[in-house]
Amino acid sequence: MSGRDPLCSPRRVRRGAALTLVFAGVLGAGAATDAFPGPGAPQRRAVAAPADPAGRPEAVREAAAAAMAAGKSPTEAAERAVSRSGDRWAAVYSEGEYEEFQDALDGRYTGVGLWARQEPDGGIEVTRVRPGSPAADAGIRAGDRLRSVDGHRTDGRPVTEVIALLRGDARGDGTADAPAGTTVTLGLERGTRAWTRTLRRARLSTDPVTVSRLPGAVTAVKVSAFTKGSADAVRATLRTAPADGRTILDLRGNSGGLVTEAVSTASAFLDGGLVATYDVDGAQRALHADPGGDTARPLVVLVDGGTMSAAELLTGALQDRGRAVVIGSRTFGKGSVQMPTKLPDGSVAELTVGHYRTPSGHTVDGRGITPDLEAGPDQALPRARTVLTGLGDLS
């Protein structure tokens, strides 16, 4: 199990994956336009609503408003309405939680800049440190053991709880994380050396795209989430890659994000054409790639059971359009669309309002995408290189 401080916290695990896996998390009047670009995109979507009318946006808002008028909790009333809806991905979040999530989609978070994982013995190991972050300035490096956070022992704790401690939400009860500038004291171990350091949390940006140059002019592009700017990072990588090279687009573990970024990423590999379709008010609408993408460079896409939502949308487009060979294991199967509904007390209800389909008309929700070639975690990358060999000369 692994995690990092920008996107993991117990409350998101405890209250369901809906928040971190939403199809598009843009709140306000421009939500539909930002999430589903195209002329005439409406400001409200009410398609494929849950079977129970209690789960409709209007009903949830009305329940919250009635509770507020009666001096009761609007959030609790909304939660009750959502729980009756049968909507797997619906959830209600505090105003602070939703603001944090919007910041995450914009590539911003408050933390110390380290990634961690739990070792088999229960210890917490630092796996990566962001350059220029408080953790890096303190001399922390990959391989160090994190023994405590503000006096709380970390051994045996789920890594999500450790990340919450780093961010300042020790209770995991939905309260806001500690702001930038607050301090956190870490107990660390490296070999036989043990020490403590006090760091100041800072506003940092995520690195959703990482690049590796492999032998044979192969460029491996790992996209961990579709946050703001991820598509531009992919495009920039392709511009600097060898002209006769080949690309591996690694979407394993990508839980989605902004659909606009996924569509823009598709545009990097397609010369226009259909990316996906979805329904709004009973009418089918379409998402299209921009013209001018690189259609000649051999491409392999890596996926697994952690590939979800917008990442599945992108995978389905590249597979159906014959642009890429998809390798790995069946994807998660989250092809539903959530709409944020603001409630009277500032909290937000995320409700499922529709589903999208791949260019060939395949429904992803509950089914996932079947790769062209099955491969386990250790075989995926070698299999990708083998496939690229067949797609062109690869030394």
Side-chain angles (χ1 to χ4, degrees), residues 3-391:
R4 57 175 182 171
D5 45 0
L7 296 179
C8 294
S9 72
R11 64 179 174 273
R12 291 188 178 92
V13 175
R14 184 185 72 251
R15 298 180 63 185
L19 184 62
T20 54
L21 305 181
V22 292
F23 188 78
V26 184
L27 179 64
T33 302
D34 288 341
F36 301 96
Q43 293 184 358
R44 297 176 64 231
R45 303 188 296 278
V47 179
D52 189 335
R56 295 180 185 275
E58 297 86 351
V60 173
R61 278 196 299 268
E62 290 170 2
M68 194 169 191
K72 300 179 181 179
S73 169
T75 301
E76 291 180 3
E79 288 175 343
R80 285 194 295 270
V82 166
S83 68
R84 293 195 302 268
S85 71
D87 185 345
R88 178 185 180 189
W89 296 106
V92 180
Y93 300 93
S94 71
E95 185 175 11
E97 284 181 307
Y98 207 82
E99 288 175 355
E100 284 182 33
F101 180 57
Q102 288 181 289
D103 281 348
L105 286 177
D106 284 339
R108 305 188 306 271
Y109 70 100
T110 300
V112 298
L114 62 80
W115 284 251
R117 69 182 175 196
Q118 189 171 55
E119 294 294 282
D121 63 1
I124 301 297
E125 180 184 358
V126 175
T127 58
R128 181 184 168 198
V129 177
R130 177 179 175 80
S133 68
D137 293 343
I140 300 171
R141 64 193 190 200
D144 289 345
R145 284 281 185 123
L146 184 61
R147 291 303 191 185
S148 65
V149 179
D150 282 338
H152 299 279
R153 296 290 295 177
T154 58
D155 285 1
R157 285 179 178 262
V159 73
T160 49
E161 289 187 13
V162 176
I163 296 304
L165 289 170
L166 288 168
R167 294 194 60 174
D169 180 18
R171 292 177 296 175
D173 60 0
T175 58
D177 293 332
T182 56
T183 60
V184 56
T185 300
L186 309 184
L188 299 148
E189 184 179 284
R190 182 184 301 158
T192 59
R193 178 193 173 201
W195 76 104
T196 62
R197 287 297 301 268
T198 298
L199 286 63
R200 289 191 179 275
R201 298 180 179 93
R203 290 291 284 168
L204 303 170
S205 60
T206 59
D207 291 319
V209 179
T210 54
V211 181
S212 302
R213 306 292 184 183
L214 305 180
V218 174
T219 301
V221 184
K222 170 73 174 177
V223 184
S224 59
F226 286 108
T227 56
K228 188 175 181 180
S230 56
D232 286 342
V234 172
R235 289 175 177 274
T237 297
L238 295 180
R239 285 195 295 269
T240 60
D244 60 347
R246 293 140 187 88
T247 302
I248 297 173
L249 181 62
D250 191 348
L251 300 180
R252 292 175 295 179
N254 185 318
S255 60
L258 294 169
V259 72
T260 48
E261 293 293 333
V263 172
S264 185
T265 301
S267 299
F269 299 101
L270 299 170
D271 186 14
L274 186 64
V275 173
T277 59
Y278 62 99
D279 291 314
V280 173
D281 293 332
Q284 181 172 285
R285 299 185 182 276
L287 298 169
H288 290 90
D290 294 329
D294 184 345
T295 60
R297 189 187 308 265
L299 175 65
V300 165
V301 177
L302 301 183
V303 298
D304 63 7
T307 304
M308 310 179 189
S309 196
E312 292 178 287
L313 179 148
L314 172 60
T315 301
L318 296 176
Q319 184 183 55
D320 281 7
R321 297 282 302 276
R323 179 61 186 89
V325 176
V326 178
I327 297 176
S329 55
R330 183 184 294 272
T331 62
F332 184 84
K334 184 184 182 295
S336 59
V337 181
Q338 277 70 49
M339 170 184 170
T341 297
K342 193 167 185 177
L343 304 178
D345 63 345
S347 58
V348 175
E350 283 282 355
L351 306 171
T352 299
V353 294
H355 299 81
Y356 71 83
R357 295 171 296 280
T358 70
S360 295
H362 299 301
T363 298
V364 175
D365 200 56
R367 300 180 181 179
I369 293 174
T370 302
D372 300 306
L373 294 173
E374 294 280 347
D378 297 333
Q379 293 78 40
L381 191 58
R383 181 68 64 87
R385 283 184 49 81
T386 300
V387 169
L388 287 174
T389 300
L391 297 176

